[in-house]
Amino acid sequence: GRRLNLKNPTRFNEKLQWLKLNGRHDYYPICADKFAMKQWVAEILGTDEYNVPVYFHTSNWKDITSQTINKFPCIIKPNHSSHDFIIFRSAKDVNWKQLQRRCRFWLKRDYFMESQEWQYRDIPRQIVVEQLLETKTGKIPNDYKLNYLNGELEFIYVSYDREGLNARCVFDTKWGVIPFYWGNSNQQEYTPCTVEIPKPKSIEIMKEIGGKISKYFKYVRVDFYDVDGKPYIGEITLHHGGGCDRFRPKEYDKYYGEKLNLEA
């Protein structure tokens, strides 16, 4: 709802738009690629123990069959887009023809044209089948999104109980709640987080890993899952929400914009 200032960006979302147009490194497409990212992370960390295990991957939707996908529970997704995935907890849940149609659609999708994020433009498109991470209680683990500005962890955006309450809350580095919302909802006011979200057991390991990755970016969001105290890297995001998500209250857009130094 504001005119974009690219000559002298001051707000955080403006600076993300500036980075979309001016940020160019050969490893950006690798990091945005949900499959190739795993090898890049393993090289940075010297280990692949924090990557979610891959069961199968292919560039041909016809390869998606009961012969190639035979480990459950699993999550199936394209490597080159966002918010696309299907979860299967057993083979009996799968309609194979329907799944193939969905995968064919994913492989045709040009996410670069939708988001105008350069790093997605030339990613070799694949379908990736990963192990579905679950806690001891059989639930999908919480999603901890660590946001780094100029290599410093500023805040942690948490998606809590995704299959139940599906709550959202933002924390500072000491796990204190920060009262703002940053998402694609049209809500006009901040809605306080009403759920007490415990600090994950592996938070310090997440911070250590995220800190190593963040050195390569002016801004980066590193997503983690905590499975009963073991962290796994979900993905690396260069521009949260494509730089279009709303801040509520809007003052936080300016506050974090002042912190992000594009010249550093």
Side-chain angles (χ1 to χ4, degrees), residues 28-29 31-34 79-82 109-113 115-125 235-239:
Y28 279 12
C31 293
D33 183 327
K34 292 178 175 60
N79 67 323
H80 67 285
S81 68
S82 181
R109 185 180 182 186
D110 189 340
Y111 191 69
F112 162 71
M113 291 302 295
S115 70
Q116 291 298 299
E117 295 174 83
W118 168 80
Q119 67 270 19
Y120 289 105
R121 188 183 63 186
D122 298 321
I123 293 177
R125 301 176 190 177
E235 64 180 79
I236 296 173
T237 298
L238 276 61
H239 316 105

Side-chain angles (χ1 to χ4, degrees), residues 4-254:
L4 181 62
N5 183 350
L6 288 173
K7 292 183 178 180
N8 184 32
T10 58
R11 296 179 180 274
F12 191 62
N13 277 333
E14 284 182 329
K15 290 187 176 182
L16 287 185
Q17 300 297 343
W18 187 94
L19 287 172
K20 283 167 64 174
L21 294 171
N22 297 284
R24 297 289 187 274
H25 289 287
D26 56 4
Y27 54 87
Y28 279 12
I30 297 173
C31 293
D33 183 327
K34 292 178 175 60
F35 179 70
M37 173 273 294
K38 297 176 185 293
Q39 181 61 36
W40 187 84
V41 166
E43 292 175 359
I44 296 297
L45 302 180
T47 178
D48 66 351
E49 67 173 304
Y50 302 110
N51 284 323
V52 180
V54 173
Y55 290 154
F56 181 70
H57 63 96
T58 181
S59 59
N60 189 343
W61 60 269
K62 294 181 180 180
D63 292 338
I64 304 300
T65 68
S66 58
Q67 286 72 46
T68 56
I69 302 176
N70 49 32
K71 292 183 179 181
F72 297 89
C74 67
I75 181 169
I76 304 174
K77 58 189 178 183
N79 67 323
H80 67 285
S81 68
S82 181
H83 302 104
D84 291 327
F85 65 88
I86 302 177
I87 290 174
F88 294 112
R89 283 189 161 86
S90 68
K92 66 180 181 180
D93 299 329
V94 185
N95 180 321
W96 293 102
K97 289 186 178 180
Q98 191 176 74
L99 177 58
Q100 284 187 335
R101 287 195 295 269
R102 177 67 66 86
C103 291
R104 180 172 58 182
F105 170 77
W106 283 343
L107 291 171
K108 290 181 177 180
R109 185 180 182 186
D110 189 340
Y111 191 69
F112 162 71
M113 291 302 295
E114 298 176 29
S115 70
Q116 291 298 299
E117 295 174 83
W118 168 80
Q119 67 270 19
Y120 289 105
R121 188 183 63 186
D122 298 321
I123 293 177
R125 301 176 190 177
Q126 295 192 68
I127 301 298
V128 182
V129 183
E130 293 181 343
Q131 174 187 338
L132 178 67
L133 299 179
E134 293 181 303
T135 64
K136 292 178 180 178
T137 60
K139 291 186 175 182
I140 293 177
N142 298 335
D143 190 356
Y144 302 93
K145 304 175 185 294
L146 278 62
N147 288 260
Y148 290 84
L149 282 63
N150 301 117
E152 296 293 329
L153 177 61
E154 289 293 338
F155 59 89
I156 303 167
Y157 181 104
V158 182
S159 297
Y160 176 78
D161 193 11
R162 298 293 288 269
E163 295 180 293
L165 294 172
N166 201 21
R168 302 288 190 274
C169 199
V170 184
F171 295 88
D172 61 25
T173 58
K174 296 182 180 180
W175 212 248
V177 174
I178 309 177
F180 77 86
Y181 167 85
W182 189 25
N184 58 12
S185 169
N186 289 323
Q187 67 183 61
Q188 297 301 310
E189 301 295 335
Y190 165 71
T191 302
C193 180
T194 58
V195 180
E196 184 175 343
I197 302 176
K199 182 191 299 185
K201 296 178 181 178
S202 61
I203 186 62
E204 295 304 322
I205 302 176
M206 293 180 189
K207 290 178 181 179
E208 180 181 353
I209 295 171
K212 292 179 180 179
I213 293 173
S214 70
K215 295 178 181 179
Y216 295 86
F217 306 91
K218 296 182 186 299
Y219 165 79
V220 69
R221 196 193 80 203
V222 187
D223 295 0
F224 291 90
Y225 301 104
D226 178 284
V227 182
D228 303 316
K230 169 69 181 292
Y232 289 91
I233 299 173
E235 64 180 79
I236 296 173
T237 298
L238 276 61
H239 316 105
H240 174 95
C244 297
D245 279 3
R246 292 172 179 252
F247 277 93
R248 294 288 185 267
K250 61 184 179 181
E251 287 75 16
Y252 282 90
D253 195 2
K254 183 178 180 181

